[in-house]
């Protein structure tokens, strides 16, 4: 029997999404799918952080236990502004980064000195950077993993790790994939300025189209059979849903088996519209675990995961 190639796709979702991922992954393990079964991991933003830890051998249970031990997630909003003039310069730089992230123009190059005099980004992730460097290190894992970022110079998506000759340190690639435009400073790599891969898509499931089976956890989408009750919450998820539908059509056209985990109404209510909150870490994990467990038990995702 020919073994199926399996991809684990982990989407964007902010700090809240980190907890959602861990809860969902723990439920998947209960039903026979371990992260170690994945031949490829595709991570975007929060999903790139979780995916990077998995690729380095951290289990979902271990990630959760360490989160509890360290009393939650690290503080990731450390102001970079120290004066009014710097505030003005960073505001202009951040507006440029946000504008280019939306417009996706091919600038070919950015004038020298622009990013120096008008840096984009109002915050650093502070202790989060130290933790990623310590936990993930400089070397890329041997397993296949794509960390999705967006280059604001070319206006194109960049799948870090797809080219195994990449020179960016592993921990920094995870940071680049989650560098929210206007909030955090872009990560420079050669002639590129990299920001959050969610600019292109919050799922980027199409990067796994050469696989036979895709297990996707997409915190910024929603279950169409149990959508968010809040109109604003649902509206903010429509673009991620549009991207996801397009990617799913491509996957289904190739006959790829798909298991899709996304929030229902209760979970999306806990997430809310501010995905960078860190005050719902435990309840988000617990609800994602329960909701995913119920979804898999219902049979909506088809047969169990054993090949």
């Amino acid at each position: 029997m020919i073994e199926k190639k399996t991809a684990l796709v982990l989407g964007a979702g902010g700090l809240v999404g980190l907890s959602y991922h861990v809860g969902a992954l723990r439920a998947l393990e209960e039903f026979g799918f371990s992260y170690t079964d994945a031949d490829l991991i595709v991570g975007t933003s929060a999903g790139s952080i979780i995916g990077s830890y998995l690729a380095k051998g951290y289990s979902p249970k271990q990630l959760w236990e360490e989160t509890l031990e360290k009393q939650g997630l690290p503080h990731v909003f450390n102001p970079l502004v120290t004066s009014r003039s710097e505030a003005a310069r960073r505001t202009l730089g951040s507006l440029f980064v946000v504008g280019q992230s939306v417009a996706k123009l091919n600038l070919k190059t950015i004038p020298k000195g622009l990013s120096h005099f008008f840096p984009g980004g109002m915050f650093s992730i502070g202790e989060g950077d130290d933790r990623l460097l310590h936990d993930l290190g400089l070397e890329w894992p041997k397993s296949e993993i794509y960390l999705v970022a967006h280059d604001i110079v070319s206006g194109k998506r960049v799948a870090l790790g797809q080219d195994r000759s990449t020179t960016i340190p592993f921990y920094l690639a995870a940071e680049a994939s989650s560098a929210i435009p206007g909030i955090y400073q872009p990560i420079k790599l050669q002639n590129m300025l990299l920001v959050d891969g969610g600019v292109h898509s919050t799922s980027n499931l199409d990067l796994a189209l050469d696989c036979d089976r895709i297990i996707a956890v997409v915190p910024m989408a929603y279950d169409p059979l149990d959508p968010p009750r809040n109109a604003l919450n649902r509206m903010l998820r429509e673009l991620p849903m549009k991207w996801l539908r397009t990617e799913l059509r491509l996957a289904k056209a190739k006959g790829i088996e798909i298991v899709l985990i996304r929030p229902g109404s209760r979970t999306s209510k806990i997430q809310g519209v501010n995905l960078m909150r860190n005050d719902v870490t435990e309840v988000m994990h617990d609800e994602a675990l329960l909701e995913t467990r119920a979804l898999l038990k219902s049979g909506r995702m088809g047969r169990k995961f054993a090949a």
Side-chain angles (χ1 to χ4, degrees):
M1 180 184 293
I2 298 176
E3 267 192 48
K4 290 185 174 182
K5 184 178 180 181
T6 300
L8 175 61
V9 175
L10 304 172
L15 291 178
V16 176
L18 296 175
S19 299
Y20 181 90
H21 274 304
V22 175
L25 288 167
R26 293 186 69 187
L28 282 163
E29 283 191 320
E30 292 179 2
F31 281 78
F33 176 77
S34 169
Y35 71 97
T36 58
D37 297 330
D39 301 290
L40 166 67
I41 295 176
V42 177
T44 303
S45 197
S48 73
I49 302 296
I50 297 297
S52 296
Y53 273 90
L54 297 179
K56 284 289 186 171
Y58 290 78
S59 70
K61 181 181 179 182
Q62 184 179 356
L63 283 176
W64 184 240
E65 288 175 347
E66 289 197 8
T67 299
L68 294 177
E69 182 182 332
K70 294 175 181 177
Q71 298 183 326
L73 300 170
H75 181 65
V76 294
F77 287 108
N78 296 272
L80 293 171
V81 175
T82 58
S83 66
R84 288 185 178 180
S85 62
E86 185 176 11
R89 290 190 296 110
R90 285 192 174 277
T91 298
L92 289 173
S94 296
L95 288 173
F96 170 77
V97 171
V98 172
Q100 177 58 6
S101 297
V102 174
K104 298 183 176 67
L105 301 175
N106 185 354
L107 301 179
K108 296 184 179 179
T109 185
I110 291 179
K112 288 184 178 180
L114 181 64
S115 58
H116 174 73
F117 290 107
F118 301 100
M122 308 299 286
F123 300 90
S124 76
I125 63 171
E127 64 179 279
D129 181 76
D130 295 331
R131 186 182 294 189
L132 290 177
L133 174 58
H134 176 270
D135 294 347
L136 301 179
L138 305 178
E139 299 296 323
W140 282 73
K142 293 181 180 179
S143 56
E144 194 171 14
I145 179 170
Y146 302 163
L147 303 180
V148 186
H150 177 82
D151 175 25
I152 63 170
V153 179
S154 66
K156 295 180 179 179
R157 175 175 71 180
V158 179
L160 298 166
Q162 196 170 36
D163 177 359
R164 298 299 285 185
S165 65
T166 183
T167 58
I168 188 171
F170 187 55
Y171 86 96
L172 200 57
E175 280 192 32
S177 178
S178 51
I180 303 171
I183 303 297
Y184 300 116
Q185 195 159 324
I187 302 296
K188 184 172 177 57
L189 174 63
Q190 298 167 348
N191 297 321
M192 299 185 289
L193 285 175
L194 303 176
V195 297
D196 195 308
V199 166
H200 179 85
S201 165
T202 54
S203 44
N204 290 292
L205 184 146
D206 58 309
L207 287 172
L209 292 182
D210 64 340
C211 294
D212 304 293
R213 179 170 56 178
I214 297 175
I215 313 296
V217 183
V218 191
M220 291 187 70
Y222 63 81
D223 185 343
L225 297 184
D226 185 23
R229 303 290 188 259
N230 179 277
L232 178 60
N233 194 330
R234 181 166 180 169
M235 182 181 72
L236 292 175
R237 296 170 187 268
E238 289 302 337
L239 183 56
M241 285 290 287
K242 180 181 178 181
W243 286 327
L244 180 60
R245 290 188 191 104
T246 299
E247 294 158 5
L248 288 173
R249 281 196 293 271
L250 295 173
K252 289 176 180 177
K254 295 191 68 173
I256 297 173
E257 179 186 343
I258 300 170
V259 173
L260 186 58
I261 309 298
R262 47 191 167 175
S265 59
R266 179 174 169 81
T267 310
S268 60
K269 181 179 179 181
I270 295 170
Q271 287 176 305
V273 297
N274 177 10
L275 298 179
M276 296 303 289
R277 293 154 51 224
N278 61 3
D279 60 343
V280 293
T281 301
E282 289 193 45
V283 68
M284 184 75 269
H285 163 274
D286 294 347
E287 189 58 36
L289 174 63
L290 292 172
E291 186 177 75
T292 305
R293 186 185 287 159
L295 175 66
L296 297 173
K297 190 175 181 179
S298 73
R300 281 181 57 197
M301 293 297 104
R303 62 183 180 79
K304 290 188 178 181
F305 305 110

